[in-house]
Amino acid sequence: MNDAAKPTGELTLRTLAMPTDANPAGDIFGGWVMSQMDLASGIRAGERAHGRVVTAAVKEMAFQLPVKIGDTLNVYTEITRVGRTSITLQVEAWAHRARHRTLEKVTAGTFIMVALDEDGKPSPVPAE
Ligand SMILES: CC(C)(COP(=O)(O)OP(=O)(O)OC[C@H]1O[C@@H](n2cnc3c(N)ncnc32)[C@H](O)[C@@H]1OP(=O)(O)O)[C@@H](O)C(=O)NCCC(=O)NCCS
């Protein structure tokens, strides 16, 4: 990793890319990466909302580099906006290539999570 390329946000989730998450060529499915980003968003937004949250929207995403079996996926999150019931996060996924000891940005996206009450209805995000 060089100084020009550093993750933005808080490291929220780390996990290992396994063979079951890959196609026969050894490339990890994009859906798996998005799923980890969704989990990280849920963790971070849930902590901010002090309760249950749900994914309302994911903005356009593009995959710049592949994730390979054996890479560690690091997901960074930053809360960029808190609305009445919604929390917007900028989420980055970085692959740590163990063999090469490098950290490379794979993709990034904007996730919008909504706080819910016990009935599953949007609920105000409490003040910090
Ligand atoms: C997300 C959900 C709770 C929103 O319910 P709703 O009745 O439309 O609620 P509202 O219109 O009051 O919107 C709630 C908040 O979400 C935001 N929001 C809703 N849809 C959005 C979208 N597509 N893009 C951006 N923000 C959105 C609204 O702007 C609002 O934010 P604010 O309170 O901070 O102003 C509801 O649509 C839902 O339960 N969807 C399914 C979520 C789900 O199951 N996700 C996993 C998919 S497998």
Side-chain angles (χ1 to χ4, degrees):
M1 190 180 80
N2 60 44
D3 281 350
K6 282 191 179 157
T8 300
E10 187 176 287
L11 180 59
T12 308
L13 182 146
R14 298 185 77 211
T15 190
L16 187 62
M18 298 291 282
T20 46
D21 306 315
N23 66 21
D27 293 313
I28 298 297
F29 295 118
W32 180 83
V33 175
M34 290 176 69
S35 171
Q36 305 312 310
M37 295 168 79
D38 196 25
L39 283 172
S41 300
I43 291 169
R44 189 81 193 274
E47 288 170 352
R48 176 64 185 83
H50 303 295
R52 178 179 165 192
V53 294
V54 73
T55 312
V58 181
K59 296 284 174 70
E60 186 180 329
M61 280 179 61
F63 292 88
Q64 297 157 222
L65 290 173
V67 178
K68 296 286 188 180
I69 294 168
D71 289 348
T72 302
L73 191 78
N74 293 357
V75 183
Y76 297 81
T77 62
E78 183 167 69
I79 293 174
T80 54
R81 179 178 180 272
V82 176
R84 197 181 78 82
T85 66
S86 67
I87 299 170
T88 302
L89 304 104
Q90 185 62 23
V91 183
E92 295 184 357
W94 291 67
H96 182 249
R97 325 279 189 191
R99 258 192 257 162
H100 307 287
R101 304 204 309 184
T102 55
L103 189 63
E104 294 182 312
K105 188 174 174 181
V106 173
T107 187
T110 303
F111 284 64
I112 297 152
M113 313 299 286
V114 174
L116 299 180
D117 64 17
E118 284 178 4
D119 299 322
K121 301 280 181 236
S123 166
V125 178
E128 219 161 3

